[in-house]
Amino acid sequence: MDQIKHSGLVSGFNGLQQYELAVKAAQKMTGYATMSMDPESIEHAYQAIKDANTLYQQMGLDQTGVDQEFLSAQHQLLNQCSHQLEEAEK
């Protein structure tokens, strides 16, 4: 079992799985926020994106030598979420 560094929680997921789940959560929150246009939901979606990026940095995933294609795809998904939120706020 791995301990999640930023929260102290223990999970059965490795760092890549935790990061992937954080990205999926950010995607879902972004989708809901842009459909509802609720300011609080939009703020929560931005926070989910920030949390996913923080998790990535804290876990040192860029230094693990793992599949860079996977990490690039996850970063691209987070960038799309940010762009979607920015466009919705215009």
Side-chain angles (χ1 to χ4, degrees), residues 1 9-10 13 16 20 44 49 55 60 86:
M1 296 283 205
L9 297 175
V10 175
F13 296 112
L16 288 176
E20 183 178 25
H44 287 294
I49 294 167
L55 181 65
E86 290 165 6

Side-chain angles (χ1 to χ4, degrees), residues 13-34:
F13 296 112
N14 68 25
L16 288 176
Q17 291 169 321
Q18 290 175 14
Y19 181 56
E20 183 178 25
L21 290 174
V23 171
K24 286 181 181 182
Q27 286 180 292
K28 288 181 181 187
M29 293 178 85
T30 298
Y32 176 78
T34 55

